[in-house]
Amino acid sequence: MAVRSLSRSLRGISALVALLAVGAVGCSEVVEDAKDGAKKVARQRSVFSLNPGDCYNPNGKATEGEAVAIEIVPCAEPHQAEVVGEFTLDEGKAFPGNDAIWAIADERCPAEAQKFSPDTWALPKGVEIFYYTPTTESWATGDRAVSCSYTKETGTITGSLKAGPEASKPEQTAYLKGANAVYEALWTTQPEAENVEDDLDGYKAQAKAVAAALDAHLEGMKDIEGVETGKLRAKLEKTAGHWKKAANAADSDAFYVAYDPAFTGLDPKATVAARKELGLATTVPADDAEVWAG
């Protein structure tokens, strides 16, 4: 999942409102445009006022840069973003720098997003994680907050992305917690070297992390009833064994032999039947489907 950053700023807001002179009575389109413009201005809020659950539209394209104000909108209306969480950075006298702050946000914001919307399969296509962070200027005034959002650069979202009561059933929570941790272990520990021969220890460390996450996932699934969930659990037990063999491989050849069934054993398509049984989303995200398509 792509993560980008939006920084805040204390620079003042200068709202330019164009006044349209209606030359003829009955120009309803012009009047409606004027009403929409007035509504947008009335909804302007400081970026510092964002709270979890707020739906909003950035003033401008959501890319790296500085932001001062946003347009708060009801979540029932089409919008581009929703705040999914926030956290406070450790106090410090000196500004740590953008890279240091972004490194923390890269780790913390996905975790906040998962708490807000545990089933990532249920998210609309094209949703990404963005965040607002302090700038040098705002840090000097005591700003330490990071606001995490789900954002669509293209198109809009209608309705809140927050998981409802139906997603808080114990079996769903247990499954999603374990499944999310497995894929997080797989991707966050991916070595930079493309070839196993160039970093066997790095790939073995990745295999060890995935095996540990699978063990925890299996432990969480043991009390979940259901035929399809039972089948998936049996499959993942074998998959965990392959990851453990990869973690203990004596050389790159042995690693490759274990890695192939280990990786294919995590194919998300194999979880669809169990997800359906648990009442979770069943459409494999496009990015995941492409990875396991080969």
Side-chain angles (χ1 to χ4, degrees), residues 189-270:
T189 60
Q190 178 70 29
E192 293 185 6
E194 293 184 6
N195 300 314
V196 175
E197 293 86 350
D198 296 330
D199 188 7
L200 177 59
D201 288 341
Y203 276 93
K204 289 173 65 174
Q206 178 194 36
K208 183 177 180 180
V210 175
L214 274 169
D215 281 345
H217 187 23
L218 290 165
E219 179 66 20
M221 291 177 65
K222 70 178 184 181
D223 294 327
I224 300 177
E225 298 180 355
V227 174
E228 296 301 332
T229 304
K231 291 179 181 177
L232 176 60
R233 186 167 57 244
K235 180 178 178 62
L236 291 179
E237 286 175 351
K238 293 181 179 178
T239 301
H242 292 306
W243 281 105
K244 290 171 185 176
K245 287 182 179 178
N248 294 302
D251 52 40
S252 58
D253 287 344
F255 183 91
Y256 281 121
V257 170
Y259 184 81
D260 185 56
F263 186 78
T264 56
L266 294 183
D267 188 339
K269 293 192 294 292

Side-chain angles (χ1 to χ4, degrees), residues 43-65:
R43 289 176 169 180
Q44 294 299 302
R45 297 290 184 275
S46 166
V47 71
F48 293 94
S49 69
L50 285 172
N51 293 305
D54 284 347
C55 294
Y56 67 95
N57 291 317
N59 288 331
K61 190 174 180 180
T63 55
E64 292 188 11

Side-chain angles (χ1 to χ4, degrees), residues 7-123:
S7 55
R8 288 189 297 240
S9 172
L10 282 179
R11 290 180 294 186
I13 303 170
S14 176
L16 301 179
V17 182
L19 300 178
L20 302 176
V22 182
V25 177
C27 295
S28 60
E29 184 176 344
V30 175
V31 173
E32 289 304 314
D33 286 345
K35 286 182 178 179
D36 290 342
K39 182 188 292 185
K40 183 177 178 67
V41 171
R43 289 176 169 180
Q44 294 299 302
R45 297 290 184 275
S46 166
V47 71
F48 293 94
S49 69
L50 285 172
N51 293 305
D54 284 347
C55 294
Y56 67 95
N57 291 317
N59 288 331
K61 190 174 180 180
T63 55
E64 292 188 11
E66 293 187 358
V68 181
I70 38 79
E71 178 194 8
I72 293 289
V73 300
C75 292
E77 294 184 12
H79 53 276
Q80 289 179 265
E82 181 174 4
V83 183
V84 299
E86 63 182 4
F87 61 90
T88 303
L89 298 166
D90 290 338
E91 292 290 335
K93 292 184 178 180
F95 181 66
N98 288 328
D99 289 342
I101 292 176
W102 293 342
I104 296 171
D106 284 346
E107 181 178 350
R108 293 285 299 276
C109 279
E112 294 295 326
Q114 282 193 2
K115 288 188 290 185
F116 194 85
S117 305
D119 189 359
T120 56
W121 286 30
L123 296 174

